[in-house]
Amino acid sequence: MRSIKRGVAVALGFSVALLAINPVAAVASSGKKSTECTEPTQETMAGLSEAMHDEAFAYAQYLAFGAVASPKGQTSLSKLYQRTAEVELQGHFSTLASLACLVGTTAENLTSAIEGEDYETTDMYVRFAQEAYADGDIEAGDLFSEIGEDEATHRDMFAQALTSLSGHPAGHKSAVPVAPAPDAVPILAGDGSGLSPRTLENLSTAMHGEAFAYASYMLYADQAQRSGLPAIAKLFRATAQIELEEHFRELANLAGMVSDNATNLQVAIDGEVHDSTVMYPRLAMSAIAAGDYTVASALLKIRDDEATHVVAFTAELAKLR
């Protein structure tokens, strides 16, 4: 089985756009100023981006593993996946996002989302589709093309929402588009056999991007809600669900990310071992070298959490043997 694993640095233009929170001088503000946030050094910021992608992907992957472990989510294994997934998102990703100054004003967040979606629809998914077709992976090429078209719609809806901040009363419902409900895709076990190594790598990159978009948009939604912009908050949340429940799952099914319980647990263990013994220690040392001590301390705390996940997943795997 060619499993899609964690612990790989993902350099996405999408993540760069989302992390580059810039003021929007041409657009009237929502009446809320950016939260005071001291950005770390450029090197530390790159490390935070790597870790955020890893945590967002782990969240989406563990939910998928849990769905296969028990469709009704009632087994001890499925509950473990669900609890761990929430730690990765609500604990780890949120902490990293705060350290990276990911969330700005709603206008800034919309601008970053527009830039990210534009990159995906005009560059990333176009390129991935062309490469998949060239490698004879027609189904993958079609999926990349379809998702790219969806991202264009997301970009345009976010652009309309951004315009509403200057042309209408803040969050005026008639001025903010309503995102459609996601076509919830069931998680299927597979192995990704028959796909070229390049297509598999592109599927992994795309999944990391979709998971990161979900996690980021949920934080953006919270900020919009706090700023008195419920319609924009709803747009962010609805789009986030499409990225996770539709796009991520379609990519995961094609890539064969999910297998049997024992294999899934081993993939989870390998990912957590890598995070706790390689990635987070490396990122912490880099942050210390850059003088970003607060970031380093947070990274080491997350490292310790990941080590406990190794123990929990290993205990579940032992039950299957």
Side-chain angles (χ1 to χ4, degrees):
M1 172 190 175
R2 296 179 182 179
S3 59
I4 301 296
K5 299 183 179 180
R6 295 169 57 195
V8 178
V10 181
L12 289 174
F14 184 85
S15 66
V16 172
L18 285 175
L19 284 169
I21 306 296
N22 296 315
V24 188
V27 179
S29 75
S30 63
K32 302 290 185 180
K33 295 182 179 180
S34 298
T35 302
E36 290 292 336
C37 186
T38 303
E39 292 188 358
T41 62
Q42 184 175 358
E43 183 176 7
T44 300
M45 189 74 96
L48 288 170
S49 177
E50 177 184 347
M52 281 191 290
H53 277 85
D54 185 85
E55 297 295 337
F57 178 78
Y59 170 76
Q61 184 182 52
Y62 291 165
L63 289 184
F65 286 173
V68 172
S70 172
K72 295 183 179 180
Q74 296 301 312
T75 67
S76 63
L77 177 56
S78 65
K79 290 180 180 179
L80 174 61
Y81 278 130
Q82 291 164 9
R83 289 196 305 271
T84 309
E86 288 305 316
V87 171
E88 308 289 35
L89 181 69
Q90 302 297 339
H92 299 171
F93 183 90
S94 294
T95 295
L96 296 164
S98 178
L99 293 168
C101 303
L102 181 68
V103 179
T105 65
T106 294
E108 292 167 347
N109 297 338
L110 283 166
T111 298
S112 293
I114 291 166
E115 291 172 354
E117 298 287 0
D118 186 67
Y119 165 75
E120 288 193 343
T121 192
T122 63
D123 186 320
M124 188 182 82
Y125 278 117
V126 172
R127 176 164 39 87
F128 285 179
Q130 292 173 342
E131 292 174 350
Y133 289 136
D135 292 348
D137 297 326
I138 306 304
E139 186 177 0
D142 290 345
L143 179 57
F144 287 141
S145 297
E146 178 185 334
I147 294 177
E149 292 173 359
D150 286 350
E151 308 299 27
T153 300
H154 298 169
R155 175 198 60 197
D156 295 344
M157 288 192 297
F158 287 142
Q160 185 178 342
L162 182 61
T163 300
S164 76
L165 293 179
S166 60
H168 301 275
H172 193 280
K173 292 184 178 180
S174 65
V176 177
V178 177
D183 294 326
V185 175
I187 287 293
L188 304 174
D191 61 7
S193 60
L195 296 174
S196 72
R198 179 166 64 172
T199 295
L200 283 170
E201 182 64 26
N202 288 343
L203 285 167
S204 178
T205 298
M207 280 190 288
H208 280 77
E210 297 298 326
F212 182 77
Y214 167 82
S216 301
Y217 291 170
M218 292 302 285
L219 292 181
Y220 290 171
D222 291 343
Q223 172 64 13
Q225 195 72 44
R226 288 192 297 269
S227 301
L229 300 166
I232 293 178
K234 185 176 181 180
L235 174 61
F236 271 128
R237 290 194 184 99
T239 307
Q241 293 302 324
I242 293 173
E243 308 288 32
L244 179 68
E245 296 180 15
E246 188 174 336
H247 295 171
F248 181 89
R249 292 181 182 181
E250 289 174 327
L251 294 163
N253 287 342
L254 186 58
M257 184 190 76
V258 176
S259 184
D260 59 89
N261 284 337
T263 302
N264 294 341
L265 274 168
Q266 191 60 60
V267 169
I269 291 168
D270 291 345
E272 298 288 356
V273 168
H274 174 271
D275 285 359
S276 60
T277 64
V278 178
M279 187 183 77
Y280 278 112
R282 169 174 55 81
L283 297 181
M285 289 299 296
S286 178
I288 290 171
D292 293 319
Y293 301 114
T294 299
V295 173
S297 178
L299 294 172
L300 292 174
K301 173 61 171 63
I302 295 175
R303 174 205 61 184
D304 293 343
D305 286 349
E306 307 293 37
T308 67
H309 297 170
V310 173
V311 174
F313 286 140
T314 300
E316 284 293 331
L317 183 58
K319 295 178 184 179
L320 300 179
R321 292 175 173 170

